[in-house]
């Protein structure tokens, strides 16, 4: 049930307290497994193997998953976590967009978890770390790797060096965000020139555009576009594409209209700015304003056949102006458009088709 309830933008943290066992396969390789606290460690029927945990992680949509296992685990084929780059530390939101399935255990192979206190040292360190103690660089962000480093130090110190928490990744190359701080303004983390800001915005815009071309997630494309706008608030093309996404892929007419107006403000020489605004206004029933916006798009590009088609639809279906609809559909065909409904409307109303379409 849980994998179906967790979305891609959610962060999933699972805490487990129980037993850990280890067996061997036919080749003598250690195979670790977990057993819930209320079951016997020898009860294989209730065990959770690494393969099952990996399968669960695969089915969960969440980009970031962190398992906190209050036990000692061995016999798991895992990968040591990769350290964040300098750029990642200065702008962690960039590094941590990657998928991350990570695991932290209370102790290493063959070690006992000291439980002389309740909660035990592992849990105490986790709680203190989440309350801010693990944010050693004081940048407001808390990543799983930072928490693991803090927990390891605290538990080793409190246990007198006999209990060593382990941290590894099951899948992905990112780092789970536990506390999100203020986003860095730019990828470099420092002051940049306007040209560098525009370049950073363009990179995010290009990635968003590419994602749509490849029919990938519209939600992730929106994340990219918002980053582009964050890097350079005047990057008009990002508003154009953002408005289109809210109009056609992630329906939200309020957001679509806001983005379209920003597009016209910051990219007035892009005909798609006014064209997209016109489409949004048409969808919201503001037909005269939609006509004005589309006419403005044609003032920028008089041969934009798609705009003539949309104008024809607006006149024919909403403004009920047959003469203007005929003219718009005809111009659509004259400027290279091939839409069948434009031809049909002209023929039904006795208007000859342009010679290029006959």
């Amino acid at each position: 049930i849980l994998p179906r309830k967790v979305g891609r933008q959610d962060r999933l943290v699972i805490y487990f307290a129980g037993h850990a066992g280890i067996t061997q396969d036919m080749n003598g390789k250690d195979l670790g497994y977990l057993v819930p606290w209320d079951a016997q460690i020898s009860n294989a029927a209730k065990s959770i193997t690494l393969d099952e945990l990996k399968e669960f992680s695969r089915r969960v949509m969440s980009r970031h998953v962190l398992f906190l296992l209050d036990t000692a685990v061995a016999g798991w084929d895992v990968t040591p976590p990769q350290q964040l780059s300098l750029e990642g530390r200065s702008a962690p939101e960039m590094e941590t967009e990657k998928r991350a399935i990570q695991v932290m255990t209370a102790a290493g192979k063959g070690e006992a978890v000291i439980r002389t206190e309740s909660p035990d040292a592992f849990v105490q360190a986790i709680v203190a770390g989440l309350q801010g103690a693990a944010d050693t660089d004081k940048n407001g962000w808390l990543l799983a790797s930072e928490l693991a480093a803090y927990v390891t130090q605290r538990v080793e110190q409190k246990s007198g060096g006999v209990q060593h928490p382990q941290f590894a990744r099951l899948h992905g190359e990112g780092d789970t965000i536990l506390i999100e701080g203020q986003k860095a303004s730019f990828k470099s983390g420092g002051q940049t020139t306007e040209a560098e800001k525009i370049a950073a915005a363009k990179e995010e815009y290009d990635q968003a555009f590419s994602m749509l071309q490849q029919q990938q997630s519209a939600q992730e494309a929106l994340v990219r576009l918002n980053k582009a706008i964050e890097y350079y608030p005047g990057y008009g093309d990002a508003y154009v594409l953002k408005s289109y996404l809210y109009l056609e892929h992630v329906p939200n007419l309020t957001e679509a209209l806001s983005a379209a107006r920003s597009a016209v403000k910051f990219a007035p020489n892009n005909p798609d700015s006014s064209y997209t605004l016109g489409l949004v206004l048409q969808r919201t029933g503001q037909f005269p304003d939609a006509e004005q916006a589309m006419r403005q798009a044609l003032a920028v590009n008089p041969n934009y056949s798609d705009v003539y088609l949309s104008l024809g639809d607006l006149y024919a279906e909403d403004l009920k102006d047959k003469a203007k609809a005929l003219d718009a559909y005809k111009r659509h065909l004259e400027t290279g458009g091939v839409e069948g409904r434009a031809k049909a409307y002209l023929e039904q109303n006795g208007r000859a088709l342009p010679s290029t379409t006959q």
Side-chain angles (χ1 to χ4, degrees), residues 12-257:
L12 179 62
V13 178
I14 295 178
Y15 172 79
F16 171 88
H19 307 290
I22 189 169
T23 185
Q24 292 184 330
D25 64 13
M26 60 184 299
N27 297 316
K29 181 180 178 181
D30 289 343
L31 298 175
Y33 60 90
L34 301 174
V35 180
W37 187 258
D38 59 351
Q40 294 294 322
I41 193 170
S42 59
N43 187 349
K46 289 191 174 183
S47 67
I48 304 170
T49 67
L50 174 62
D51 287 341
E52 290 172 328
L53 207 59
K54 284 185 173 181
E55 173 61 19
F56 170 84
S57 302
R58 187 187 66 80
R59 292 188 292 113
V60 170
M61 288 292 293
S62 175
R63 182 184 287 116
H64 290 168
V65 180
L66 175 63
F67 294 98
L68 300 174
L69 307 180
D70 194 359
T71 187
V73 179
W76 284 17
D77 185 14
V78 295
T79 305
Q82 183 177 357
Q83 293 296 316
L84 281 177
S85 64
L86 178 61
E87 179 179 345
R89 288 193 293 272
S90 62
E93 72 274 17
M94 301 302 300
E95 183 77 13
T96 54
E97 284 185 352
K98 302 173 184 177
R99 184 161 170 78
I101 309 296
Q102 296 163 294
V103 57
M104 187 188 336
T105 69
K109 180 180 179 181
E111 298 177 350
V113 177
I114 300 174
R115 303 188 188 276
T116 55
E117 298 178 290
S118 181
D120 60 38
F122 180 66
V123 174
Q124 289 182 33
I126 289 174
V127 172
L130 291 173
Q131 290 175 339
D135 183 20
T136 54
D137 57 8
K138 304 303 179 185
N139 66 350
W141 290 78
L142 182 60
L143 309 179
S145 59
E146 292 180 298
L147 180 64
Y150 174 79
V151 169
T152 298
Q153 181 184 27
R154 283 288 302 273
V155 172
E156 289 179 349
Q157 182 181 32
K158 199 158 190 177
S159 68
V162 299
Q163 183 177 332
H164 303 84
Q166 303 294 304
F167 180 58
R169 69 169 182 254
L170 300 182
H171 181 67
E173 298 180 353
D175 201 353
T176 300
I177 301 174
L178 298 172
I179 297 176
E180 185 171 339
Q182 184 176 2
K183 293 184 178 180
S185 297
F186 312 108
K187 291 184 179 180
S188 64
Q191 296 298 321
T192 58
T193 66
E194 183 174 19
E196 289 171 328
K197 298 174 188 178
I198 294 174
K202 183 178 184 302
E203 181 180 343
E204 296 294 339
Y205 170 83
D206 288 343
Q207 290 189 33
F209 190 83
S210 177
M211 292 173 72
L212 291 179
Q213 285 185 316
Q214 298 172 30
Q215 298 183 335
Q216 297 179 10
S217 169
Q219 290 284 3
E220 291 193 18
L222 278 172
V223 171
R224 293 288 185 183
L225 292 173
N226 286 331
K227 285 186 180 297
I229 293 168
E230 181 182 343
Y231 293 145
Y232 190 71
Y235 199 78
D237 288 352
Y239 292 106
V240 176
L241 192 54
K242 182 177 179 179
S243 179
Y244 168 74
L245 282 173
Y246 277 124
L247 182 65
E248 300 294 347
H249 293 273
V250 189
N252 187 324
L253 291 178
T254 300
E255 291 290 344
L257 183 59

